[in-house]
Amino acid sequence: MEFQPFLVYSASAGSGKTFALSLRYISLLFLGESPSNILATTFTRKAASQMQTRIRDYLLNLEKERDFLELLSREIGKSIDEILQSKQKVLSQFLSSPNHIVTIDSFISSILRTNALEIGLEPSFSSIDKVDIQEEFLNIIYSEGFLDNFVELTILMDIQKEHPSIEIMDKLFNLDPLLPSSPKAGQKDIKEIELEIDRLRERNFQILKETKGASNSAIKNFAPETLEKFYKKNLFSKESLYEHGYYKRFLHQIPELEENFQKIKALIKEWFQEKENHILSKMFELYSYYKNSKIAKAKSTNILSFSDVSYFVYRLLHKSINKDFLYFKLDSKFRHILLDEFQDTSTLQFLIFKPLIDEIFSGAGGQEFRSFFYVGDPKQSLYRFRGGQEELFEWVANYYQIPIKNLDTNYRSHRLIVESVNRWFEETMPNYTPQKPYAKSDGYVKILESEQENLISQAIKEAKNLIKKGVAPSSIAFLVFTNNEGVTLQNLSSKESLPTILQTSSKLNRLSKVLALVQGCEYLYRGYKIDIFNLLLRVGKSPRDVDFEWFSPKLRPVEVIDRLIREFDYFGDEVNILNLLEFASGFDEIGEFLDEFENSRLPIATKSKYGSTIMTIHSSKGLEFDYVIILDRTKNEGNDTEKLLAEYDENLYIKRFFYRFKDRKNFDDEYAKLLEDRDSLRQKDRLNTLYVALTRAKKGLIVVKNSKKSIFEQELGINVFEIGEIEEEQKSQKDIQEIHYPKIKERYGMQEQNVQEEEIEREYDYYATLFGSALHYTLEVLGKFDSQALELAVESTKNRFGAILSTEEIEEIETRVLHLINHQEFQKMIKNRKIKKEQPLSFEGKLYQIDLLLESDDEIIVVDYKSSPKEFYKHKKQVANYCKIVSKLTQKKARGLICYLLSDEVFFKDI
């Protein structure tokens, strides 16, 4: 070998990426380079620390590291004796000189700190995840007379979400250096286009009405209606009317039909483009004020978000200072750059590094020794949602004409694991290079199937089986797709006496029981009924069953939460309640506590010092474990709903934006191609996630896949099988040390009860009741009893319950309500009656809530919604009582109906 100054390694999982980085760095040291002239970046502090430790350990123990020593000798063209003779000098220089083995974020931040005064910032600025500038932005557009434009933009965007315009402004700021020039407003009048479309539609409608043999369906396709409904018809899913059986038999006689159809399609495309131009021009006009608000707040508060830091550094390097001044301020001139995990680098991060890389290449071939090296694996790119662009990996190599070498030997996993991964990905992942197993041992691979509700139980059972065979719990890792799945797994593991350490990024404000208490506090303070649902559903009570007379807004937050815990016998097994109480004790006012809790990032408590690790697949990247148990998804992946779609040019800048409109792909080929490309990238991201998950195991890999809609089966075609043997291991003598927290029940003086059977029943009731509450909520926010109102209501339900109900459950709710809307007797019932939803009634000191009241001059119908008829007699008694109360209060005849909304029908029971 010979040292290659410019080189890229494509390093598959377990192929020695960290080893290769360390070898490269140490090679530079033995070639006479000072650590201060070498920039080596990683993505995490832990990785940077590990790299520093690895380099130091190699230098300290070179004589013992014979394989490393031989590779180093070949890499730099020096004998082993020469290397060992200069070892002490190199080691001393490394230990005594400042080095630049850092994270990408910290390096970018250091550039800004050393040059902050050049752009009006203080070097002592603070960095946080996000800085809220909504108030400042709205104030500035109000003062400039653009508030109406902002409201109009929000309406035009038609997004059923709070502050959609603000979210998109923030996205534009994150991409600011890559943005295209501001688009101009459309040149054509949208109304004129609509009139021309309608004229052509009407012409085809009249032709078809007069055409013998034209079916009603063929005629109806061109019947008068709004353009928003017209363009969504299946009619436009085909390129031509010749592809529709309704029309092709008489098109040769009336070619005008097809001509008009093609003109309509072209005009609808133009209509979308004009609407898009209108939205984008207003968006970019307002964005200039948003950007100015961001910059002004950063300078006035000296608090910057991470995107602020990147923005200012890009401005520095590309607009404000020259490279010589930068190097002077950094007190280093980097002649060598080594970049780790390059597949997760964002385009903006690369553009920040580009002037430094260009400087290295500009001196190539001269007297000064310079080099550029990066390593990564496009198959392990997981951070597109944070701006990571795996496409950069090859683009940069091509741009600088650097050779890419594959590291294709797997030093991590045993043979059967490597061969299984090769088999799964060779046919599904483009340009996949099979790995060669280095280990001689066979290892163990097991794929098993389970019903979704038993996935976690089955995974715990597999872990216990490994432990029976001598595997230490700390040698086992559970990998899950989401943080919530990790929390659920830990809770059930605790009940099954399996010690676990939760290492997901879950925070205190994401834990369901903690959140239930805080929402209870919010209900008492702000009075929004929806906030109390989570708490009351868990404890099996309704608002009228609970006395909250003790509450006063003057109480301290910790006192309110303390009282809620005492009130309900439900929180005894959640150690994180103590964390909540400690956090709440720092506030005197409830409002301040609620606001701070929402933005808090308090870590959750772990339940043991030793045990099996639980982590998400994303956070497992770069790690390895003896035995890995992967759990299938418990919820479907969300749909791609991004409204602002970017098309990039060959230089990785944004060429233009498309705005997403429903069914636009039927009219615009460029837009359709962009959607296809986005779908391909999402597909690639799913494969990357599975690749990372399936390559963490060293000795044994177990996948517990869902018997229905398994991502492992859909993406990789993985079926049930078992190969190899679990290596019998000597049981570890290290005892599992539980962390003993004070028990909540003991601390609050609650009575101990036999909980096992009650807990199981309560958990079942909770999910059934939660579904019922979401169903009631959908009906409550339904503007009218029609399908158009239902769409909006379902969006609202997704926003409120989407985090705790699956997509299928939301769809089930929509189906049930649609049955009600389509129920002819119900539509007759509500006609010409006053409709009151979720009507509160106070009677004899008690508060009641009635789902639906239908009032006429002489009668009131009381309707109570139910999702199951299992407890009919209980329901009957409840509604009969409602009727008596309503009759006494209104002096009208009251008739009661129980409305059962089932998955396949709706029926009413008279009371």
Side-chain angles (χ1 to χ4, degrees), residues 172 175-183 284 653-657:
L172 289 175
L175 296 169
D176 186 85
L178 312 178
L179 294 179
S181 57
S182 177
F284 273 77
Y653 287 85
I654 296 173
K655 181 179 177 182
R656 65 167 288 191
F657 282 111

Side-chain angles (χ1 to χ4, degrees), residues 11 48-49 111 113 124 139 258 361 413 425 471 489 558 566 588 733 761 794 796 800 839 842 870 890:
S49 175
I111 293 177
R113 288 191 191 283
S124 59
N139 283 339
E258 174 66 11
F361 277 90
S413 305
F425 286 95
V471 176
L489 172 58
V558 70
R566 292 174 183 275
D588 292 322
Q733 296 302 309
E761 185 176 352
V794 170
S796 183
R800 176 63 70 174
Q839 180 66 40
S842 177
K870 285 181 181 177
T890 64

Side-chain angles (χ1 to χ4, degrees), residues 427-549:
E427 299 299 321
T428 55
M429 184 175 277
N431 305 316
Y432 179 82
T433 302
Q435 284 191 285
K436 302 164 190 168
Y438 181 80
K440 305 301 179 190
S441 304
D442 285 344
Y444 175 72
V445 179
K446 181 178 183 180
I447 314 295
L448 66 152
E449 229 171 35
S450 172
E451 296 293 325
Q452 181 169 305
E453 58 269 22
N454 296 323
L455 278 175
I456 293 176
S457 299
Q458 190 62 53
I460 293 171
K461 182 178 177 183
E462 293 298 321
K464 287 186 169 182
N465 183 47
L466 291 173
I467 293 168
K468 280 182 186 175
K469 301 211 171 183
V471 176
S474 56
S475 297
I476 302 169
F478 293 96
L479 301 187
V480 294
F481 281 84
T482 67
N483 290 317
N484 287 343
E485 290 166 348
V487 173
T488 305
L489 172 58
Q490 187 187 44
N491 288 337
L492 193 53
S493 296
S494 180
K495 290 180 182 178
E496 294 284 334
S497 302
L498 176 67
T500 57
I501 301 170
L502 185 63
Q503 291 189 3
T504 68
S505 59
S506 282
K507 304 300 176 188
L508 196 64
N509 58 10
R510 299 291 300 276
L511 294 182
S512 56
K513 288 189 176 182
V514 171
L515 191 58
L517 278 170
V518 176
Q519 287 175 333
C521 186
E522 189 152 14
Y523 163 73
L524 293 171
Y525 181 68
R526 292 184 173 137
Y528 300 138
K529 189 182 106 176
I530 192 67
D531 290 324
I532 197 65
F533 277 179
N534 192 9
L535 176 62
L536 295 184
L537 288 174
R538 289 175 176 277
V539 299
K541 295 183 182 295
S542 69
R544 57 179 169 268
D545 297 328
V546 183
D547 177 14
F548 287 131
E549 290 297 321

Side-chain angles (χ1 to χ4, degrees), residues 149-150 152-159 165 168-169 172 182-186 190 271-287 643-644 657-661 664:
N149 298 48
F150 178 74
E152 184 185 353
L153 176 62
T154 302
I155 294 168
L156 283 170
M157 287 165 61
D158 191 30
I159 304 175
S165 310
I168 288 189
M169 296 292 160
L172 289 175
S182 177
K184 295 180 180 178
I190 290 177
W271 180 74
F272 278 128
Q273 289 173 340
E274 291 299 322
K275 287 193 73 173
E276 174 182 271
N277 288 338
H278 193 54
I279 290 172
L280 293 179
S281 64
K282 285 193 173 299
M283 189 181 294
F284 273 77
E285 181 180 50
L286 290 165
Y287 170 64
K643 281 287 188 180
L644 204 58
F657 282 111
F658 286 88
Y659 196 79
R660 188 192 294 271
F661 295 104
R664 181 179 179 179

Side-chain angles (χ1 to χ4, degrees), residues 382-383 503-505 614-623:
L382 299 184
Y383 295 101
Q503 291 189 3
T504 68
S505 59
I614 300 173
M615 60 184 3
T616 62
I617 296 169
H618 274 71
S619 56
S620 74
K621 192 155 94 61
L623 303 178

